[in-house]
Amino acid sequence: MSTVVAQSLHVFGLRSHVSNNVFFFDEQIIIFPSGNHCVKYNVDQKWQKFIPGSDKSQGMLALAISPNRRYLAVSETVQDKPVITIYELSAIPCRKRKILNNFDFPVQKFICMAFSPDSKYLLTQTSPPESNLVYWLWEKQKVMAIVRIDTQNNAVFQVSFNPQDNTQICITGNGMFKLLRFAEGTLKQTNFQRGEPQNYLAHTWVSDDKIIAGTDTGRLFLFESGDQRWETSIVVKEPTSETKNLGVIQESESLIEFPAVTSPVPSYEQVMMTSSHSQLSLPQVFAIAAYSKGFACSAGPGRVLLFEKMEDKEFYRESREIRIPVDPQSNDPSQSDKQDVLCMCFSPSEETLIASTSKNQLYSITMSLTEISKGEPAHFEYLMYPLHSASITGLDTCIRKPLIATCSVDRSVRIWNYESNSLELFKEYQEEAYTISLHPSGHYIVVGFADKLRIMNLLIDDIRSFKEYSVRGCKECSFSNGGHLFAAVNGNVIHIFSTTSLENISNLKGHTGKIRSVAWNTDDSKLISCGTDGAVYEWSLSTGKRETECVLKSCSYNCVTISPDGKIIFAVGSDQTLKEIADSSVIREMSAFDVTYTAVVISHSGRMMFVGTSVGTIRAMKYPLPLQKEFNEYQAHAGPVTKMSITFDDQFLLSIAEDGCLFTWKVFDKDGRGIKREREVGFAEEVLVTKTDMEEKAQVMLELKTRVEELKMENEYQLRLKDMNYSEKIKELTDKFLQEMESLKTKNQVLKTEKEKQDVLHRERMDDLLDKQSRELQDLECCNNQKLLLEYEKYQELQLKSQRMQEEYEKQLRDNDETKSQALEELTEFYEAKLQEKTTLLEEVLTGSRAIQDIKTKYEKKLRDEKESNLRLKGETGIMRKKFSSLQKEIEERTNDIELLKGEQVKLQGVIKSLEKDIMGLKREIQERDETIQDKEKRIYDLKKKNQELEKFKFVLDYKIKELKKQIEPRENEIKVMKEQIQEMEAELERFHKQNTQLELNITELWQKLRATDQEMRRERQKEWDLEALVKRFKTDLHNCVAYIQEPRQLKEKVRALFEKYVQRADMVEIAGLNSDLQQEYARQREHLERNLATLKKKVVKESELHRTDYVRIMQENVSLIKEINELRRELKFTRSQVYDLEAALKLTKKIRPEVSETVSSEDLPSVPPTMRLNVQEETGRIIEMQRLEIQRLRDQIQEQEQVPGFHPLAGMQLPSLSGEADLKAQTK
């Protein structure tokens, strides 16, 4: 395995044609397919975690999540074989729980799946022509049941379980709506389709036995236990003028090639292909999602409808409409909402609805917003950002900013930020974009469109073209590493343009086939190109000619790159190898092992290499390339990789593919050599803004400012007017209220007098009424007693009479009943005997019908007589009962009369009680008024007492005020003296600081002089030692010359040699020494001056800092002292105002006014409302204590400053003692 590792960081993309492609894991995390991964995305924190697909997977086809949110089932095709992988989502990281890949039945692929309510069973549907529905116990990999759903190759779109029942299943598809039940190891259909078959695209369970299903003609059906109960049609609300353009829209959309090989849901393509032009105007229901109030369904392009259940009926009504918003960045904004909603899901709390569309977009809406926007349709918002909806063809990154530029055949150009994982800019155009290149500065892009090549500025909020070239169908372009040039490919010609002059400086011709890839070397002196003609050329930009070439006709190259040192070219192509090319020859080939390499990139450090394959995987390998199969392969995309790029700092790898997804990878070498270097300078934050935009914004700002000013003035004017109006109204209201109060007072007085009169009259009347009532009560009692006695006697007699009559009637009834029963028994016996006789006679003589008739009439007559007698007896008993009931009624009437008399008695007693209550209330009121009079008298007494106490307190306060005046004057004098002392001490401190600094400067200068003299002395000593050594050498050489004194020639040569050796060299040494001494002296002086300057600067900074801190401290102390003085003055004024108020309250102003005028003028007395201060003695003591503590603190501070070395106080200056304060404290005590 290779030591080069790549970790997937973030993906920008969605595969919307995977069945059930978005759902919630919890309230914040959603799961959706992207590339060959399932992505867990946190909506709040914006992070992504990946669940990679199986090895050698050809793409995901369908997803399903268990109801308990623990398991995820993924349907894939691995090496043309179907595989179902079940992941455990609760594990971190997600791990594979089970793999279902051994099947005993024919299957091509599984197109939709569903978990049972208890998550133990899995339902899978295979694609036509088999169309098998398989019921799995997935934990044991056991097939519980299998059934063929359809024999006519109709598409099945959705399968689901009853949310409350593991055994009930629903399947919908083209012409089918089936309910199956699992029983005894088989799946049996429980419903029968009636009516015309529909193309059911989606369904959902809204209760235990109710299902909502939607069709391709915009119809919704409610089925209950398999029978249709309700039906409605979705109405298209667009104007008819738009329907005319649908053919043009479909034609333009047909240019977008969605990945069809691994497209897992054939339903969408089949529906779009099979639906006729007449049905295009009908809304197609691709998705339905149930929630507690009802359900949501897609209703044609860009629309979702919410249906709510009616309260009184079992049906549903349309309540809200949600639309996909119009995209202002689109070239045709009306097309942004012309996309079908393929999948929807609600969050567990039903607060959020998420929808995925046919253009690979994810939208969300908060359900509370739909309730707010009544009447008007609500609008979706992008869940993350607008994504590419088709194959991405171009990719590039820059140096100065963390930006990625991509373009796609969906006619859009997008700028992404790989640091914040967001979309910076995007714009859609009329033509398809084939290639893109981003300038190293990150401010410009070059885009190759189908009609032209355009250079564009990346503005703060727009992508704006500023130069166009007539290069049609440019499939490859690239900025140079320095950014001063860019290359654009037109067929088999490479055009080189200057970024500064924007002119075409050269054209490189030589390829015979289409050029597929170009790459610049590090210093931008060479350009490497490859094409479908099997040629790899290295071009020199200075001459415009080929320097090296390598042609292999059997290989069609896809991508080329060059090593950082510019010596080796790497190329990949259709022959399933990676080639190393140097000096016009292939020096090495590395096999791709049965896949085709489509892209190759090498890191700027030259140690890591990455290649993209035609199956969507990415291989990371170390450079130099290994001999064996040593690389790490990662599942990435669900289509061939089209481009790859690596950031300038070798931190991130970027890859794009035909599946419309952009992946960012974190790459590093395990040996720690993968990162080229740490970024010393951060990313640039500058953005481009045009002058016109700035001027417009400035103009808008000015207009807004003027508008704000105008509004302010208008508001102030309105406020002033309102204030005036309100003040006038308040004045009027106060006058009115005062008048009303006066009138009410007069009315109250009048009413009081009237009330008193009425009270007197009421008392008189009450007395009369009480007397009258007592008399009448006595009379009524006597009369009622007599009447009651008479009525009671009558009642007793009637009761006895009624008892006697009742006994008689009961006796008669008993006798009658006995006689009747006896007679009936006799008659029955008699007639039974006769009947037996007659039956025997009838049996004997069948022909005697006349005799039988006579007997019959005879007995009928007898029976009639008996009945009449019975009726007569019943009449008599009825008369007796009537008499009895009349007597009972008479008794009841008498009892009612008694009850009425009793009720009248109760009423009279109630009147008596109410009158007694009135009497008691009046007595209580009199008592309360007496109590209030007593309270008032007590209050008057207390106030008088309080007045006396206040007079005493006033006398005490007068005395205290005089004492405080005497105490405050010496305090003020002391404060003044202490201020002067502080100022003198500050001056002396400043003088000492200056002396210290001067002394320090002198010391440093002396030290520097001492060092210089030491160095000079060492140099002189060195010189002396050198001269002594020279003299010694000269003496020895001279002594040697003396030996040749007898030989003049040799002596002459020796003397000359001595001269050359010592004299001339000594002169040169002296001159050189002199020059070196001068330079050393100059350097020494310069160094000395620089040191002095540095020390002086440090001292100045230090002194300024010390001075500043001292100044701040002194200022703070002064401020605190001034605050205390102001507080004392305020206290003094307050006490004076209190004295004045107390004097005014006690009406003693005239007596004491002369004394007060001597101490304080009337101007100093503030208008303070009279207030009582009962604890003045404690307050004055507290003030004195605070002042004493402050003086003590200042003295301690002065002593501390005296203890500082080098600090001496001014001669003859002494601080006052604390004895005065002690005496003062004793006096106050």
Side-chain angles (χ1 to χ4, degrees), residues 456-467:
M456 303 181 178
N457 281 325
L458 297 181
L459 304 180
I460 188 169
D461 55 358
D462 193 13
I463 303 172
R464 201 169 294 173
S465 174
F466 66 92
K467 179 68 176 175

Side-chain angles (χ1 to χ4, degrees), residues 1179-1196:
E1179 197 167 329
T1180 51
R1182 186 173 58 78
I1183 292 161
I1184 292 160
E1185 186 67 21
M1186 283 168 63
Q1187 289 176 353
R1188 191 184 66 75
L1189 290 168
E1190 183 61 24
I1191 292 159
Q1192 186 64 40
R1193 188 181 65 76
L1194 289 167
R1195 281 185 175 160
D1196 293 340

Side-chain angles (χ1 to χ4, degrees), residues 389-440:
S389 59
S391 171
I392 304 174
T393 54
L395 169 73
D396 200 10
T397 183
C398 64
I399 298 170
R400 292 288 293 122
K401 291 186 178 183
L403 298 181
I404 308 166
T406 58
C407 64
S408 170
V409 293
D410 63 4
R411 303 186 186 90
S412 70
V413 173
R414 296 168 199 260
I415 309 297
W416 312 87
N417 189 317
Y418 62 80
E419 195 174 48
S420 61
N421 295 323
S422 61
L423 180 67
E424 295 276 330
L425 293 169
F426 86 99
K427 197 168 185 181
E428 292 187 5
Y429 297 91
Q430 291 181 348
E431 298 294 330
E432 294 178 0
Y434 297 127
T435 181
I436 193 168
S437 182
L438 185 58
H439 193 269

Side-chain angles (χ1 to χ4, degrees), residues 1063-1078:
V1063 177
Q1064 290 176 359
R1065 217 170 86 193
D1067 292 341
M1068 290 299 290
V1069 166
E1070 192 174 352
I1071 291 159
L1074 186 64
N1075 289 334
S1076 64
D1077 289 343
L1078 284 169

